[in-house]
């Protein structure tokens, strides 16, 4: 409704401007030309303002999209850092288990060697 009312007001304003031009034209042809030039300049300024408003809207939209993408990238970076930390912890735990298993194997080998040496010593007796 507001847009329709604004459009109606704009049409009424244009009608009034035309009436002024017609009246001025009837009285003074040079004044009518000046008014026409002023109307054209006004239209040019209006178009320029609309263009600038369009650019400002596009810029605001671009900035919002950029901020959203930055936010997404920050979330992604945080997730990657968490995944890296989890991987590092898992790797450290795996190294610890490997070291413990390797130590158990060395102990078992030593125990087996000692048992075989003891068995050989008993057989020689």
């Amino acid at each position: 409704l507001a847009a329709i009312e604004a459009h109606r007001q704009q049409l009424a304003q244009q009608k009034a401007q035309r009436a002024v031009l017609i009246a001025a034209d009837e009285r003074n042809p040079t004044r009518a030309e000046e008014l026409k030039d002023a109307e054209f300049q006004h239209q040019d300024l209006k178009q320029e303002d609309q263009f600038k408003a369009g650019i400002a809207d596009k810029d605001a939209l671009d900035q919002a999209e950029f901020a959203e993408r930055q936010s997404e990238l920050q979330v992604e970076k945080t997730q990657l850092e968490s995944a890296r930390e989890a991987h590092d912890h898992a790797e450290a735990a795996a190294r610890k288990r490997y070291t413990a298993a390797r130590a158990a194997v060395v102990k078992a080998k030593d125990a087996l060697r000692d048992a075989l040496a003891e068995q050989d010593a008993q057989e020689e007796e």
Side-chain angles (χ1 to χ4, degrees), residues 105-115:
V105 167
V106 169
K107 276 185 181 180
K109 271 173 102 179
D110 289 345
L112 180 60
R113 189 177 309 127
D114 291 344

Side-chain angles (χ1 to χ4, degrees), residues 8 15 39 41-42 44 57 60 77 80 96 102 108:
R8 285 181 183 165
K15 185 177 180 182
E39 183 178 343
Q41 287 175 351
H42 177 71
D44 288 345
D57 290 345
K77 180 181 177 185
L80 287 172
K96 201 175 205 182
R102 187 74 185 135

Side-chain angles (χ1 to χ4, degrees), residues 47-105:
Q47 288 176 349
E48 184 178 338
D49 288 344
Q50 289 174 347
F51 179 73
K52 287 180 180 178
I55 289 176
D57 290 345
K58 174 89 170 88
D59 188 44
L61 181 63
D62 288 346
Q63 287 179 353
E65 288 175 353
F66 179 76
E68 182 180 341
R69 183 64 182 141
Q70 287 295 98
S71 176
E72 290 172 1
L73 288 174
Q74 184 62 37
V75 167
E76 189 176 321
K77 180 181 177 185
T78 303
Q79 290 173 344
L80 287 172
E81 287 173 353
S82 296
R84 182 180 303 267
E85 287 177 11
H87 173 75
D88 291 346
H89 290 303
E91 184 179 10
R95 285 184 189 277
K96 201 175 205 182
R97 286 192 307 272
Y98 172 79
T99 303
R102 187 74 185 135
V105 167

Side-chain angles (χ1 to χ4, degrees), residues 5-31:
E5 185 60 33
H7 183 66
R8 285 181 183 165
Q9 288 176 357
Q10 183 183 9
L11 290 176
Q13 184 182 14
Q14 287 175 351
K15 185 177 180 182
Q17 286 176 349
R18 279 192 224 106
V20 168
L21 286 175
I22 290 170
D25 191 32
E26 290 172 355
R27 285 183 261 135
N28 183 357
T30 56
R31 178 72 179 135

